[in-house]
Amino acid sequence: MELSLFNILDVLGTIAFAISGALAAMERRLDIFGVFIIAFVTAIGGGTLRDTLIGYTPVTWMENTIYVYLIGFVTILAIIFRDKINYLKKSLFLFDTIGLGIFTITGVEIGIQNNLAPIITIALGAMTATFGGVIRDILCNEIPVIFRKEIYATACLLGALAFVVLHDLGVERDIIYLVTSIIVIGIRLVVVKYHLVLPYFYIPSENEEKAD
Amino acid sequence: MELSLFNILDVLGTIAFAISGALAAMERRLDIFGVFIIAFVTAIGGGTLRDTLIGYTPVTWMENTIYVYLIGFVTILAIIFRDKINYLKKSLFLFDTIGLGIFTITGVEIGIQNNLAPIITIALGAMTATFGGVIRDILCNEIPVIFRKEIYATACLLGALAFVVLHDLGVERDIIYLVTSIIVIGIRLVVVKYHLVLPYFYIPSENEEKAD
Amino acid sequence: MELSLFNILDVLGTIAFAISGALAAMERRLDIFGVFIIAFVTAIGGGTLRDTLIGYTPVTWMENTIYVYLIGFVTILAIIFRDKINYLKKSLFLFDTIGLGIFTITGVEIGIQNNLAPIITIALGAMTATFGGVIRDILCNEIPVIFRKEIYATACLLGALAFVVLHDLGVERDIIYLVTSIIVIGIRLVVVKYHLVLPYFYIPSENEEKAD
C-alpha cells in the first residue's frame, strides 16, 4: 500500500517534470527530438543520479519501461496542447514546482529504505528533486535554475527535513507525504510571489578589474 | 566470434571518437593536454555512462587498459597529422558520424546482453552513441551538438530500432551490425547534405520581451 | 595506520576544496544556499565520480556523514571569515591547489586498493583531483579551469605517476604521500608563478569565416 502510493507519486512527479522539460525546450525553439530529450532528461535525471549514487542499478527507468512510455506520451500531449498549457500563466513554473515537491518525497523515501543517515537522506531528497532541472539547464547552456535566487533547493531541503523528523516521530506515511509536498510547493510559491531572496555574502574578485 | 566482432567495433568506435575529440579540441586552441582530455572524454564518455547506469563497474575502460593506450596513441597521430586529416574536408564530422554508428551498435548489444526491454535497449544505444559528444561540448561550454539541428540522435534511435527489430526476427549479428551502421551513418550524411531539419513547435516565452 | 593517514588526508582535501568552492561561489554573488551547494559539489565531486566509476556504492560521503557536516562547518567558517581569507592573496588558488595534491593521492590509493592497472590508477587519481573543480565551473557556466592553461590536470597526472612508480619500488606510504603532494602542488605553483604554458597545436576551423 505504501509502496503503491510511492509509485503513484513517482509517476506524477515524472509527468510534472516531463511537461516542464517539454515546455522549456519548446520555449528554446529546439526541434521535436530535442523536446523529447529535454523532457526525458528533466524527468529521469534526478532519479538516475539518486540510483547511481546509492548503487541501485540498472537504474529505475531501465527496469521499468512505464517511465519511458509515460514521458513520451506526456511530451506528445505537451506538444499538441502547447498553446493551451502555455495559456495557464507560469505553467512551466507550476509543473516544475509540483515535480520538486514529489521528487523530494521519493528521494527521502529511498534514502530511508537504504538505511542512510538522516542528513544524507535529506541531501538525497534535495538532489533527486533538483538534479533533473540542473541537467536540463546545463544542456541548454544556461546557468542552472538552482542558482537563480528562487530558493529552489532550499524548499526541497526543508521539506526533506520535515519528512525525516515526522518519520522519526512515527507519523503515518500518507500524512508525511502530504506535509512534505505542501512545505516544498508552499515555500516555493510564497517565495516567488513575494520575491523573497536568501542573503548573500559578496567577496570582490581579485580579477574584478580585469573581468568586468 | 560475435564477441570478437563486438570488440573490434568498440575499438573502431573509440578510435573514431578520439580523433573527432582531438580535432575539436585543436580547433578550439586547447593546449596539448586539453586535446588529450577531450579526446579521452569523447571516446569513453558514452560507454562510461552506459556502464554506470546498468551497474557494470568498474567501467569498461578501467578493466581493459587497451582503451587508454589506444586513445593516447590515436591522439598523438591526430596531432602529428593534423594538417593532413583536416585536409579531408569535414573530417571531424566524418569521424564523429562513424563513431555514432558504431557506438549505437555496442550500446544496443549491451542492452540485449543485459536483458533490458527493447525500448530501453534503444535508448541505451542512442545514449552510448551521443553522450561522448555531449560531454565534449559541455566541457567546451558550447550548446551540445545534439541540439544543433543535425538529427544527430534521431539517426541513432532509428539505427537502434532497426537493430532491435532485426534481432527479434533472428537475423545474424554480422548483418544486423552492417544494417545498423549504414542506417545511422547514412541518415546523418543525407540529412547534412540536404540540410534536412526536424519540425519544431515554438512557444513564445513569457520572458520574451525581457530576454530578447 | 595507513588507513588513518589516508582518512586524515581525505578530510584535509575535503576542507581545502570546500573552502575553494565557497570562495568561488561568493565571488560569483550566489546566495548563501548556492555557496553551500558549490562548496559541497566541489568537495565531494571528484570522490563521487571515482566511487561511481569503480562501483563503490553507496558513495563514500553517503556512508560517512562526517563529510557533510565537515563541509557545512567549513563553509560557515568561510562565510564568516570571508574578508580575512580573501586578504590572503590568491587564497582560492591556494586551497584549490592543496585539494588537488591531496585528492590525487586518495584517488591513486583507491585505484591501487582495487587492483586497477597502473595507467588506470593514474587516470583515476587525476580525475578524483580535478572533477570537483570541473563540476563547480560547469555549474557556474564557465569554461572549466582544467582548460584554462594552468597545467591544472597535468600536475595531477605527474604526481599520480610518481605515486605509482614509488609504490612499485616499495617505498613507504608516508614518503610517497609527501612526494606526490609536493609534486602536484609544486608544479602548479611554479607554473602559475612563471606563467608556463603547454604547447598547443592549432587547426584553423572550417567554420572560422562563419563563426568569427
Side-chain angles (χ1 to χ4, degrees), chain C residues 16-103:
Chain C
F17 270 139
I19 295 175
S20 122
L23 292 176
M26 284 190 277
E27 266 194 22
R28 307 227 2 133
R29 307 177 198 216
L30 296 184
D31 66 31
I32 187 170
F33 183 76
V35 174
F36 276 97
I37 289 193
I38 296 288
F40 186 75
V41 165
T42 307
I44 59 101
T48 300
L49 179 67
R50 179 196 64 209
D51 292 346
T52 304
L53 294 188
I54 65 172
Y56 180 81
T57 50
V59 297
T60 304
W61 64 266
M62 289 195 164
E63 298 267 85
N64 200 335
T65 55
I66 183 74
Y67 290 97
V68 175
Y69 290 116
L70 189 68
I71 294 167
F73 180 67
V74 164
T75 305
I76 291 170
L77 289 184
I79 290 173
I80 294 174
F81 296 108
R82 62 190 181 282
D83 297 324
K84 296 255 191 319
I85 298 176
N86 205 47
Y87 187 70
L88 299 165
K89 274 206 182 276
K90 310 236 184 209
S91 59
L92 168 55
F93 167 76
L94 198 69
F95 284 107
D96 197 46
T97 301
I98 293 170
L100 276 185
I102 293 175
F103 275 8

Side-chain angles (χ1 to χ4, degrees), chain A residues 50 52-56 116-117 119-120 123-124 127 134 138 141-144 146-147 149-151 153-154 157 198-208 212, chain C residues 23 26-35 37-38 40 48 52 56-59 61-65 68-69 79 82-83 86 88-91 138-141:
Chain A
R50 179 197 65 208
T52 304
L53 295 189
I54 65 171
Y56 181 81
L116 299 177
I119 183 95
I120 306 300
L124 197 62
M127 285 170 50
V134 169
I138 290 177
N141 209 14
E142 294 188 359
I143 293 184
I146 207 168
F147 300 126
K149 298 202 182 83
E150 284 178 11
I151 311 193
T154 310
L157 284 177
L198 285 173
Y200 63 93
F201 305 95
Y202 173 54
I203 295 182
S205 161
E206 289 186 38
N207 317 332
E208 199 84 324
D212 286 42
Chain C
L23 292 176
M26 284 190 277
E27 266 194 22
R28 307 227 2 133
R29 307 177 198 216
L30 296 184
D31 66 31
I32 187 170
F33 183 76
V35 174
I37 289 193
I38 296 288
F40 186 75
T48 300
T52 304
Y56 180 81
T57 50
V59 297
W61 64 266
M62 289 195 164
E63 298 267 85
N64 200 335
T65 55
V68 175
Y69 290 116
I79 290 173
R82 62 190 181 282
D83 297 324
N86 205 47
L88 299 165
K89 274 206 182 276
K90 310 236 184 209
S91 59
I138 289 176
L139 284 179
C140 293
N141 209 12

Side-chain angles (χ1 to χ4, degrees), chain A:
Chain A
M1 154 66 216
E2 271 177 26
L3 185 67
S4 125
L5 177 56
F6 175 85
N7 287 344
I8 291 169
L9 284 176
D10 208 29
V11 164
L12 288 179
T14 302
I15 292 174
F17 270 139
I19 295 175
S20 122
L23 292 176
M26 284 190 278
E27 266 194 22
R28 307 226 3 132
R29 308 177 197 215
L30 296 184
D31 66 32
I32 187 169
F33 183 75
V35 174
F36 277 96
I37 289 192
I38 296 288
F40 186 75
V41 166
T42 307
I44 59 100
T48 300
L49 179 67
R50 179 197 65 208
D51 292 347
T52 304
L53 295 189
I54 65 171
Y56 181 81
T57 50
V59 297
T60 304
W61 63 266
M62 289 195 165
E63 299 266 86
N64 199 336
T65 55
I66 183 73
Y67 291 98
V68 176
Y69 289 116
L70 190 68
I71 295 167
F73 181 67
V74 164
T75 305
I76 291 170
L77 289 184
I79 291 173
I80 294 174
F81 297 108
R82 63 191 180 282
D83 297 324
K84 296 253 191 319
I85 298 175
N86 205 47
Y87 186 69
L88 299 166
K89 272 207 184 276
K90 309 237 184 210
S91 59
L92 168 54
F93 167 75
L94 198 69
F95 284 107
D96 198 45
T97 300
I98 294 170
L100 276 185
I102 293 175
F103 275 8
T104 299
I105 291 172
T106 63
V108 171
E109 187 65 79
I110 296 282
I112 289 174
Q113 280 172 21
N114 281 269
N115 296 314
L116 299 177
I119 183 95
I120 306 300
T121 297
I122 293 170
L124 197 62
M127 285 170 50
T128 304
T130 59
F131 193 69
V134 169
I135 302 188
R136 178 192 64 204
D137 294 339
I138 290 177
L139 284 178
C140 293
N141 209 14
E142 294 188 359
I143 293 184
V145 68
I146 207 168
F147 300 126
R148 280 190 242 132
K149 298 202 182 83
E150 284 178 11
I151 311 193
Y152 193 82
T154 310
C156 301
L157 284 177
L158 294 176
L161 177 64
F163 190 133
V164 169
V165 170
L166 293 175
H167 175 70
D168 270 8
L169 297 176
V171 177
E172 269 184 64
R173 272 300 192 283
D174 309 28
I175 296 171
I176 295 183
Y177 285 1
L178 193 67
V179 172
T180 303
S181 52
I182 287 175
I183 289 179
V184 176
I185 296 173
I187 289 180
R188 186 131 196 261
L189 292 178
V190 168
V191 157
V192 170
K193 185 166 171 60
Y194 295 103
H195 304 289
L196 303 181
V197 291
L198 285 173
Y200 63 93
F201 305 95
Y202 173 54
I203 295 182
S205 161
E206 289 186 38
N207 317 332
E208 199 84 324
E209 306 93 84
K210 286 179 272 175
D212 286 42

Side-chain angles (χ1 to χ4, degrees), chain C residues 14-211:
Chain C
T14 301
I15 292 174
F17 270 139
I19 295 175
S20 122
L23 292 176
M26 284 190 277
E27 266 194 22
R28 307 227 2 133
R29 307 177 198 216
L30 296 184
D31 66 31
I32 187 170
F33 183 76
V35 174
F36 276 97
I37 289 193
I38 296 288
F40 186 75
V41 165
T42 307
I44 59 101
T48 300
L49 179 67
R50 179 196 64 209
D51 292 346
T52 304
L53 294 188
I54 65 172
Y56 180 81
T57 50
V59 297
T60 304
W61 64 266
M62 289 195 164
E63 298 267 85
N64 200 335
T65 55
I66 183 74
Y67 290 97
V68 175
Y69 290 116
L70 189 68
I71 294 167
F73 180 67
V74 164
T75 305
I76 291 170
L77 289 184
I79 290 173
I80 294 174
F81 296 108
R82 62 190 181 282
D83 297 324
K84 296 255 191 319
I85 298 176
N86 205 47
Y87 187 70
L88 299 165
K89 274 206 182 276
K90 310 236 184 209
S91 59
L92 168 55
F93 167 76
L94 198 69
F95 284 107
D96 197 46
T97 301
I98 293 170
L100 276 185
I102 293 175
F103 275 8
T104 300
I105 291 171
T106 63
V108 171
E109 187 66 78
I110 296 282
I112 289 173
Q113 280 170 21
N114 282 270
N115 297 313
L116 299 176
I119 183 93
I120 305 300
T121 297
I122 292 170
L124 197 62
M127 284 169 51
T128 303
T130 60
F131 193 69
V134 169
I135 301 188
R136 178 192 64 203
D137 294 339
I138 289 176
L139 284 179
C140 293
N141 209 12
E142 294 189 359
I143 293 183
V145 68
I146 207 168
F147 299 126
R148 280 190 243 132
K149 299 203 182 83
E150 283 179 11
I151 311 193
Y152 194 81
T154 310
C156 302
L157 283 177
L158 294 176
L161 176 65
F163 190 133
V164 169
V165 170
L166 293 176
H167 176 69
D168 270 8
L169 296 176
V171 177
E172 271 183 63
R173 272 299 192 282
D174 308 27
I175 297 172
I176 295 182
Y177 285 1
L178 193 67
V179 172
T180 303
S181 53
I182 287 175
I183 288 178
V184 176
I185 297 173
I187 289 179
R188 186 132 196 261
L189 291 179
V190 168
V191 158
V192 170
K193 185 167 171 60
Y194 295 103
H195 304 288
L196 304 182
V197 290
L198 285 173
Y200 63 94
F201 305 97
Y202 172 54
I203 295 181
S205 160
E206 288 184 39
N207 317 332
E208 200 84 325
E209 306 93 84
K210 287 180 272 175

